[in-house]
């Protein structure tokens, strides 16, 4: 089956924070994250600015730790369900950091990362779940090695270091929408 680099469900955004995957690396993992900038504030332009390398780190005191950070995700789903795509699926986004899944380190090499606008403790919107489910179905169509048991949270691949998408995330709801 032919793979697809860009989602039909997303608006493409310019990003340079990615590189090539290792040769012959099969995409076989989907990682769900959350992000909000500033933390707990939604609808700001700052996540987009972070992923496109244009974040003004003087715009908010909490951004000082982000100075020089080069991070990206393949897609970002806003609270209203709109989807932005920063990195082609066939390329390696810089979303997982130090990570391991099923005994394999460097999850960025073989995963697709999706960020939800949110926090670990605030309910995600029904629009986000609907968009995440549609995007997941599309991704799994083109990358069939991503089985249901290979859809995980950032917390699952970086335990003790990361907690997202948080205990508030409804995994069963997502699975029900996907299947």
């Amino acid at each position: 089956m032919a793979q697809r680099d860009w989602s039909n469900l997303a608006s493409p955004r310019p990003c340079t924070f990615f590189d090539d995957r290792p040769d012959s690396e099969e995409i076989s993992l989907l990682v769900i994250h959350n992000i909000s900038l500033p933390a707990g504030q939604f609808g700001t332009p700052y996540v987009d600015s972070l992923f496109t390398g244009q974040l003004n780190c003087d715009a908010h005191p909490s951004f000082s730790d982000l100075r020089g950070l080069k991070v990206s995700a393949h897609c970002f789903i806003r609270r209203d369900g709109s989807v932005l795509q920063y990195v082609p699926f066939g390329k390696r986004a810089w979303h997982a950091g130090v990570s391991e899944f099923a005994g394999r380190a460097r999850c960025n090499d073989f995963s697709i990362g999706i960020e939800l606008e949110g926090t670990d403790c605030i309910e995600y919107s029904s629009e986000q779940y609907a968009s995440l489910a549609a995007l997941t179905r599309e991704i799994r169509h083109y990358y069939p090695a991503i089985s249901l048991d290979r859809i995980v949270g950032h917390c699952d691949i970086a335990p003790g270091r990361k907690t997202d998408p948080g205990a508030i995330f409804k995994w069963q709801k997502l699975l029900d929408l996907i299947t």
Side-chain angles (χ1 to χ4, degrees):
M1 176 170 302
Q3 296 182 344
R4 180 184 218 60
D5 273 342
W6 295 95
S7 172
N8 290 326
L9 307 171
S11 299
R13 296 288 297 136
C15 176
T16 59
F17 299 153
F18 66 90
D19 56 8
D20 290 330
R21 294 180 189 272
D23 288 342
S24 73
E25 189 64 64
E26 182 179 32
I27 297 169
S28 61
L29 187 68
L30 181 62
V31 181
I32 311 299
H33 305 261
N34 73 36
I35 189 169
S36 56
L37 292 175
Q41 294 184 27
F42 307 138
T44 73
Y46 300 121
V47 172
D48 185 66
S49 296
L50 176 67
F51 290 160
T52 58
Q54 300 172 10
L55 181 65
N56 175 357
C57 290
D58 296 322
H60 191 273
S62 67
F63 296 170
S64 63
D65 293 344
L66 302 176
R67 198 173 306 280
L69 182 66
K70 294 181 179 179
V71 64
S72 62
H74 290 90
C75 295
F76 173 53
I77 302 176
R78 294 182 184 203
R79 303 295 289 182
D80 66 2
S82 60
V83 181
L84 302 177
Q85 185 171 352
Y86 295 91
V87 176
F89 294 132
K91 299 294 184 180
R92 177 173 49 192
W94 303 339
H95 63 95
V98 177
S99 54
E100 181 179 317
F101 181 78
R104 291 185 62 197
R106 300 178 49 94
C107 292
N108 284 340
D109 290 351
F110 56 95
S111 68
I112 290 174
I114 299 176
E115 294 272 2
L116 298 173
E117 185 174 32
T119 71
D120 288 4
C121 57
I122 297 174
E123 290 277 344
Y124 296 97
S125 72
S126 58
E127 294 87 355
Q128 285 179 296
Y129 282 106
S131 291
L132 177 58
L135 185 59
T136 299
R137 284 191 302 272
E138 180 187 41
I139 289 168
R140 290 185 68 225
H141 176 77
Y142 291 103
Y143 300 94
I146 301 175
S147 56
L148 291 178
D149 63 336
R150 297 183 69 85
I151 301 171
V152 300
H154 200 185
C155 58
D156 299 313
I157 63 168
R161 187 175 72 82
K162 293 294 181 177
T163 58
D164 55 316
I168 200 88
F169 186 78
K170 296 177 181 168
W171 287 102
Q172 190 58 55
K173 179 175 183 168
L174 176 62
L175 292 174
D176 290 345
L177 290 168
I178 292 171
T179 55

